[in-house]
Amino acid sequence: MVIEPRMRGFICLTAHPVGCEQNVKNQIAYVKSKGEIEGPKRVLVIGASTGFGLASRITSAFGSNASTIGVFFEKPPMEGKTASPGWYNSAAFEKEAHKSGLYAKSINGDAFSKEVKQQTIDMIKSDLGQVDLIIYSLASPVRLHPETGVLHRSTLKPIGSKFTNKTVDFHTGKVSEVSIEPANEDDITNTVVVMGGEDWAMWIDALKEADVLAENVTTIAYSYIGPEVTEAVYRKGTIGRAKDHLEATAFEISDALQDIQGKAYVSVNKALVTQASSAIPVIPLYISLLYKIMKAEGIHEGCIEQIQRLYADRLYTGNTVPTDDKGRIRIDDWEMRSDVQERIAKLWDESTTETLVELGDLAGYKQDFLNLFGFGFGGVDYLADVDEMVQVPSIK
């Protein structure tokens, strides 16, 4: 079938298997071009199929020759209907890893569940023995709690008062004003349950109890802080409360791992185009302005550049991992430079539907959004018939 992008609001309903494969190959080539990292050798990535999780799996495997197990929840293909992009990404990753003689297996299921945790433990025990790095990179809007059976839904809301600011429809380029009503206590609680640190801690507890954590094990979860212009709806809103909980959980996990000299960190990463961020009001406008500035300064990074730098310049230098005064690794340092943020604040006030074409990088935003689904890559014939029924080799 010929596969074209079909948009519905802030999501794309189709994914291109060849384009997704090209995306993975491009990221592998980048990691290889940067040289070997004396890093982890047995890696578990929870949330491994897209974004920072996929980049972590690629960097582990092709930067440090690591064996990897990836856990994700993706939609397989059906005849005449494409899989989700994360499925095709994972299929391409395994294919390339196996070609390079690297161990790579995947588990498709609800990472919040006890069953998937046990399945993962069984695979580690039988194939790897133990793991020395666990990446926690889940990005789900809902969580079925494994103990209570309650389905929790996260919300994106300010706390305390209504939020009103500019946003942009990245499909049309129209800049408009958006208002979001404040959260109630249930909104806050549910968002923390879904996006906070409880499940990360549950994973580490289960892995430790099963004796599949190596001495000096490291675990990393990803977070975001962002600028003043987005903080009311992001860092000081419901998601911010969840991120606060996630960051506090890192200290609790580190305490629990003391007997095996393990350590937990939160890495604060930069703003990037993801399926999740595209649906957050204000963020697309901010990213459009940010991209324009960072590209002009030569400091723009995508997921793979961010994670390769995290591994090479922060985690595996042979020295103490540098953190801020709250114990967080800051790989958002270039985004949060004072000169970058001052220019964004100025451009924010000047941004309108008419001026954003010049002030921002809306074209770059759209390109990155299409890339998420395997579209818009050079060297791919998007008019050719392709087989949508691509399988992940290790998933039967």
Side-chain angles (χ1 to χ4, degrees):
M1 58 190 284
V2 174
I3 302 170
E4 298 177 337
R6 284 199 299 119
M7 300 294 175
R8 187 174 68 196
F10 298 109
I11 60 171
C12 182
L13 302 176
T14 51
H16 201 285
V18 179
C20 289
E21 182 175 20
Q22 189 61 53
N23 182 18
V24 169
K25 286 180 175 178
N26 290 350
Q27 293 187 53
I28 290 171
Y30 176 80
V31 170
K32 286 182 171 180
S33 76
K34 301 298 284 186
E36 190 170 343
I37 301 166
E38 287 296 323
K41 297 304 177 190
R42 297 166 296 174
V43 178
L44 169 64
V45 183
I46 304 159
S49 54
T50 61
F52 288 118
L54 175 64
S56 302
R57 196 175 190 190
I58 290 170
T59 302
S60 298
F62 293 94
S64 297
N65 293 309
S67 300
T68 63
I69 292 173
V71 178
F72 46 78
F73 200 9
E74 296 290 347
K75 183 185 70 176
M78 298 169 60
E79 291 287 348
K81 196 169 184 180
T82 69
S84 54
W87 178 272
Y88 291 140
N89 291 339
S90 301
F93 171 82
E94 280 199 16
K95 178 181 170 184
E96 294 302 312
H98 296 160
K99 273 173 30 181
S100 295
L102 295 168
Y103 170 96
K105 285 188 180 178
S106 303
I107 293 170
N108 190 37
D110 179 6
F112 295 129
S113 70
K114 291 182 179 181
E115 293 76 16
V116 165
K117 289 179 175 68
Q118 189 58 53
Q119 191 180 347
T120 305
I121 287 166
D122 293 343
M123 186 177 285
I124 294 169
K125 281 185 173 180
S126 65
D127 294 1
L128 303 180
Q130 293 182 319
V131 289
D132 46 32
L133 175 65
I134 303 100
I135 298 291
Y136 187 84
S137 186
L138 284 190
S140 172
V142 298
R143 178 186 177 207
L144 182 65
H145 199 284
E147 301 293 346
T148 65
V150 174
L151 184 68
H152 298 270
R153 296 185 183 277
S154 64
T155 56
L156 175 81
K157 292 182 179 180
I159 294 173
S161 59
K162 183 163 77 170
F163 171 79
T164 301
N165 211 322
K166 293 178 182 178
T167 191
V168 64
D169 182 330
F170 63 90
H171 293 304
T172 65
K174 183 181 178 182
V175 176
S176 61
E177 193 170 81
V178 63
S179 292
I180 307 171
E181 294 297 323
N184 59 37
E185 285 302 317
D186 283 347
D187 293 330
I188 297 168
T189 299
N190 282 314
T191 303
V192 171
V193 170
V194 176
M195 303 181 70
E198 184 186 41
D199 183 62
W200 182 25
M202 283 180 165
W203 266 100
I204 301 305
D205 287 347
L207 294 166
K208 187 171 188 282
E209 189 176 334
D211 194 29
V212 294
L213 297 180
E215 286 279 321
N216 302 304
V217 67
T218 299
T219 181
I220 310 283
Y222 295 136
S223 188
Y224 181 65
I225 293 176
E228 186 178 343
V229 73
T230 67
E231 70 177 11
V233 73
Y234 196 92
R235 194 66 206 201
K236 289 185 177 177
T238 50
I239 290 182
R241 288 285 181 91
K243 297 302 185 184
D244 290 344
H245 187 275
L246 181 78
E247 290 166 15
T249 301
F251 292 100
E252 296 172 9
I253 293 173
S254 288
D255 288 344
L257 295 178
Q258 277 185 342
D259 58 328
I260 55 172
Q261 287 75 58
K263 189 72 177 173
Y265 296 100
V266 165
S267 173
V268 180
N269 301 351
K270 81 177 279 264
L272 286 168
V273 178
T274 65
Q275 292 182 61
S277 70
S278 297
I280 302 174
V282 185
I283 297 289
L285 178 56
Y286 169 72
I287 290 178
S288 176
L289 298 173
L290 178 72
Y291 273 25
K292 182 90 168 190
I293 293 165
M294 293 189 78
K295 287 177 180 179
E297 292 290 326
I299 55 173
H300 176 68
E301 295 174 306
C303 288
I304 196 64
E305 291 87 1
Q306 276 264 288
I307 299 304
Q308 194 281 334
R309 185 159 70 93
L310 171 66
Y311 278 48
D313 294 357
R314 301 289 196 275
L315 293 176
Y316 298 107
T317 63
N319 300 313
T320 303
V321 176
T323 58
D324 67 8
D325 58 358
K326 293 187 177 180
R328 304 171 296 200
I329 301 170
R330 299 300 295 269
I331 207 75
D332 66 338
D333 48 346
W334 298 349
E335 172 188 355
M336 298 309 294
R337 268 177 24 183
S338 58
D339 62 319
V340 172
Q341 288 302 318
E342 285 165 10
R343 287 168 66 188
I344 287 175
K346 181 176 182 294
L347 293 175
W348 189 271
D349 292 336
E350 299 171 6
S351 293
T352 65
T353 302
E354 292 71 33
T355 62
L356 188 60
V357 178
E358 289 298 322
L359 298 180
D361 183 22
L362 209 52
Y365 191 104
K366 290 179 183 177
Q367 177 71 25
D368 279 8
F369 183 79
L370 284 172
N371 286 172
L372 294 174
F373 302 90
F375 297 103
F377 287 102
V380 177
D381 183 358
Y382 288 101
L383 298 178
D385 276 318
V386 293
D387 181 8
E388 74 279 14
M389 296 301 292
V390 175
Q391 301 303 321
V392 179
S394 68
I395 297 177
K396 305 303 180 190

